[in-house]
Structure formats: C-alpha cells, structure tokens
Amino acid sequence: MVDWLVVGTTLKLAFIVTAALLVIGIPISWWLSHSQSRFKGVVEAVCTLPMVLPPTVLGFYLLVLLSPNSAFGQALDKLGIAQLPFSFAGIAVACTIHSLPFVIQPLKNAFEAIGTQPAEVAATLRASPTDTFFHVTLPLAWPGIFSASIMGFCHTLGEFGVVLMIGGNIPGKTRVMSVEIYNYVEALEYGKAHLLAGGLMLFSFASLLLMHWVNNRYRLRFS
C-alpha cells in the first residue's frame, strides 16, 4: 500500500517550493538578463552553485547555518522564527535553494529571448516600468515561466540528499517520497519501492512531455 501521508507531504512541499522559486527567480532572472553590472557574474555563479554542489554538501552547510547554535540561527530565533532544521519549513527552504538553478535558467533564457524592443514600444506609449513588466514582459515570458515551474516542481519531487540532511526522516513531517523509497530499499521491500519510484518517473516524464508540447505550440503560433 502507498503511504498517502508521504505523497501528500511531498506534493505540499513541491507546490510551496515552486511558488517560492517563481517569486524569487523571476526578478533575479530578469535582472541577470538585463543588467550590465560588474557583479552579474558573481550573482549568476552563486545562483548556479547549488546545481554543481553535491546535495549532501549543500545540506551540511545549510544545517550548520540554520543550527540554533550558529549566529544566523540565533538571529532567526530572536525574530521569532521557529527552528528550521528537522522541520517542514526547513526542508522547504533547503529545497528552494537547491532547485533555484533549475528555475533561473529557463526564466533567464525567456527574458533574453524577448529582448528590449517590447519594453521600448511600451515606453513610447507612456507605460510605466512596472506596467511594462507585468503587462508586457511577463505575458511574453510565460512559456519560460511554465517551463521553470515544471522543472522546479519535478526537481523538488525528487529531492533526497538535501531533505535528508536538513529534515531527517520524520514520519508525517519531513519524510518525502524519495526518502521513503530509500527506506523501502533498505528494508528490501522492492515492490513498494517500485511503486513510488515508477510513479515519480512517469509523472516527471509526462510533465516534461507537456512542457515541450506547450513550448512547441507557442513557437509554431508565433513563428
């Protein structure tokens, strides 16, 4: 039998992290695609770093940073923020950081593909920068936003190392599908492991097919 509590925790985590990734990733990606700042390379490297770091390394340093014994952890405690390690909020923060590169890249590509001409045309019509961003740039970038959402959501579904380092394996709290698959394999319950792993693989494959179909339809429509 599938543990639906684990599935629910995983989906809840993926939805929350995807929403957080879009809120954080859209302004960063827009800035990276337009900025001429000398710090652009540094910001881009920092945003890409979680992609090349082993998840356990990232998880270890996040665990140290968020620990109640660290200066940062004590500052969070003074602000009334509950302890993050071994909590659902903690794994949400960790997954957001780890999945950020997978959202930044498609968003940045989308904003670069739009170019500056639509914004310049909007400016000649006396549209403010805010109106231009929300009513011109974002609608034109929606295929990239959709792709970024799919990538962020699917990547979060498969999170393992970071979740295990920050959240442990607490039933009903931080135990997600990837960790449950590990538990099943460790217990030699391969049938249950196949069920969860196969479900994740099929869902991810279908999501990627949908992403490519939507992007192709958009290209054909405006080509």
Side-chain angles (χ1 to χ4, degrees):
M1 287 290 294
V2 174
D3 187 341
W4 291 107
L5 183 59
V6 171
V7 175
T9 301
T10 308
L11 291 175
K12 177 184 174 184
L13 177 67
F15 278 113
I16 290 173
V17 169
T18 302
L21 285 169
L22 291 178
V23 170
I24 296 169
I26 287 175
I28 292 176
S29 301
W30 183 89
W31 183 83
L32 287 173
S33 65
H34 289 80
S35 176
Q36 300 298 323
S37 171
R38 60 180 177 176
F39 299 109
K40 177 181 175 179
V42 175
V43 173
E44 194 158 10
V46 170
C47 291
T48 309
L49 187 61
M51 182 183 286
V52 298
L53 277 179
T56 48
V57 172
L58 179 62
F60 170 70
Y61 282 112
L62 285 175
L63 188 62
V64 171
L65 177 67
L66 301 175
S67 166
N69 298 322
S70 71
F72 186 72
Q74 291 173 4
L76 292 178
D77 184 60
K78 290 178 181 178
L79 292 172
I81 299 174
Q83 181 177 318
L84 291 177
F86 307 106
S87 68
F88 181 85
I91 62 174
V93 170
C95 288
T96 300
I97 294 171
H98 191 220
S99 295
L100 188 61
F102 297 89
V103 169
I104 290 284
Q105 197 56 53
L107 287 173
K108 181 172 172 285
N109 291 341
F111 288 131
E112 286 177 344
I114 293 171
T116 59
Q117 186 175 2
E120 291 169 355
V121 171
T124 63
L125 299 174
R126 298 184 180 179
S128 69
T130 302
D131 285 337
T132 300
F133 182 74
F134 283 103
H135 297 106
V136 177
T137 304
L138 286 186
L140 289 173
W142 82 264
I145 295 171
F146 180 75
S147 298
S149 301
I150 293 291
M151 295 295 290
F153 191 88
C154 290
H155 191 258
T156 303
L157 285 181
E159 290 281 10
F160 176 73
V162 166
V163 171
L164 204 57
M165 291 294 289
I166 293 292
N169 189 3
I170 305 172
K173 192 174 181 182
T174 63
R175 181 178 292 175
V176 295
M177 292 173 70
S178 57
V179 175
E180 187 75 324
I181 292 169
Y182 175 80
N183 291 336
Y184 285 146
V185 172
E186 206 172 32
L188 301 179
E189 297 183 30
Y190 292 129
K192 293 180 178 179
H194 274 304
L195 192 61
L196 279 182
L200 278 175
M201 186 169 65
L202 286 174
F203 178 83
S204 298
F205 181 69
S207 299
L208 291 174
L209 278 180
L210 176 63
M211 181 183 75
H212 289 301
W213 181 80
V214 168
N215 286 338
N216 287 334
R217 291 272 296 181
Y218 183 83
R219 290 192 196 99
L220 289 172
R221 184 179 176 184
F222 293 98
S223 60

